[in-house]
Amino acid sequence: MRFTSHLAELAHNKGLLWALTTRELKGRYRGSLFGFLWTFLNPLMLLGVYALVFSVYFRVQMDHYAVFMFTGLLPWVFFSQSLNEGAGAITDGGSLVTKVLFPLQILPAVKVAANFVNYLLSLPILFAFFIADGVAFHWTMFGFLIVATVHLAFTYALAVLLSAANVFLRDTKHIIGNLLTLWFFLTPILYPLAQVPQAFRPLVYLNPAAVITLAYHDVFFWGRWPAWGPLAGVAALSLVLLFVAVVIFENHKEYFAEKI
């Protein structure tokens, strides 16, 4: 009951969600010289740094390596920033948290939505790299809609859970920041799955972020449909995680105002 009411209230307040997401995006670069252009400059600069390190210094031998890396890096940036910012969504919510009628689940949802919009706005840059590097476009790119839906569900579930946990344990935000660094290198973003030793490859599929990253690589870079079995497993895990996160969030949200 709490699960369905949580999602229903989120859907009912979609206008508020969009308004706060727009405000979040506008406020992110307010006062900076290039303003909203940073939405495009940030991923370009990030790609430049990784391309320099892994293409020039580490000399990774792979055709179209920069495009391959960028394909996995953009969704990871969405995921990691959503969790980092989502963890502090309630504790940083200020006066909104103390308002009795304010739907608190909006706060982590805004962080996830803002970063997902940023991700979508970065896709034209990725496609420009495809064209510049001579990488073909494939029909499998339409599979992005399925992969992104699973990715959104998984990310929102974790953001809701972390936002509630951070109210009672403020170390949560710092812990997740460090865990994300480890998680990043355990996820095949900077290297193809083929470079993982055969004995460890089954373990890669136990990492939901790895399954999602491989699916993005499949539909965009390799031009094939993703491995539906592992992706369906992550989708099921996301639903279970979302249910658990929502129940914990709803059962404890009445204490949020007095704890922050």
Side-chain angles (χ1 to χ4, degrees):
M1 185 65 179
R2 285 179 180 270
F3 179 71
T4 54
S5 64
H6 176 102
L7 297 181
E9 196 171 5
L10 201 60
H12 177 71
N13 290 287
K14 56 182 179 297
L16 176 62
L17 173 61
W18 178 247
L20 291 177
T21 300
T22 305
R23 190 182 74 170
E24 173 86 10
L25 288 169
K26 289 180 178 176
R28 187 167 291 184
Y29 305 114
R30 184 177 294 136
S32 63
L33 181 61
F34 294 106
F36 198 68
L37 280 177
W38 281 112
T39 300
F40 306 101
L41 292 175
N42 276 332
L44 279 174
M45 294 174 73
L46 189 64
L47 174 66
V49 170
Y50 279 102
L52 175 69
V53 172
F54 288 92
S55 296
V56 178
Y57 291 109
F58 285 94
R59 296 185 181 279
V60 175
Q61 299 299 317
M62 179 181 178
D63 292 339
H64 312 297
Y65 175 70
V67 176
F68 168 84
M69 182 180 59
F70 208 27
T71 302
L73 196 57
L74 287 179
W76 175 264
V77 171
F78 151 65
F79 177 66
S80 61
Q81 288 189 347
S82 294
L83 297 194
N84 267 323
E85 296 173 10
I90 301 298
T91 51
D92 299 339
S95 60
L96 291 176
V97 181
T98 60
K99 294 183 185 300
V100 177
L101 298 178
F102 184 81
L104 292 177
Q105 64 267 50
I106 287 284
L107 295 175
V110 165
K111 302 298 183 184
V112 175
N115 284 299
F116 188 68
V117 171
N118 247 345
Y119 172 41
L120 293 179
L121 292 174
S122 302
L123 287 180
I125 301 175
L126 174 66
F127 296 149
F129 271 85
F130 268 71
I131 296 171
D133 209 23
V135 180
F137 291 92
H138 305 278
W139 286 105
T140 55
M141 286 183 174
F142 288 103
F144 165 78
L145 297 175
I146 299 172
V147 179
T149 301
V150 175
H151 200 188
L152 264 174
F154 183 63
T155 305
Y156 178 65
L158 282 178
V160 169
L161 190 61
L162 292 172
S163 69
N166 195 56
V167 173
F168 301 96
L169 181 63
R170 300 300 172 91
D171 304 88
T172 302
K173 192 174 180 180
H174 304 289
I175 293 171
I176 193 65
N178 287 292
L179 285 179
L180 281 169
T181 302
L182 174 64
W183 204 349
F184 173 74
F185 288 105
L186 290 176
T187 302
I189 296 169
L190 303 177
Y191 50 88
L193 183 63
Q195 290 192 1
V196 177
Q198 187 71 40
F200 294 108
R201 284 184 200 172
L203 298 177
V204 172
Y205 289 97
L206 298 178
N207 173 3
V211 172
I212 292 170
T213 300
L214 291 171
Y216 279 119
H217 279 148
D218 283 337
V219 299
F220 280 126
F221 187 79
W222 298 113
R224 62 194 181 201
W225 297 111
W228 295 116
L231 191 61
V234 175
L237 172 67
S238 301
L239 289 177
V240 172
L241 189 61
L242 182 60
F243 180 81
V244 172
V246 166
V247 169
I248 291 175
F249 187 94
E250 292 295 327
N251 284 340
H252 293 83
K253 70 178 183 182
E254 62 185 294
Y255 306 110
F256 289 171
E258 65 184 70
K259 289 290 183 181
I260 64 173

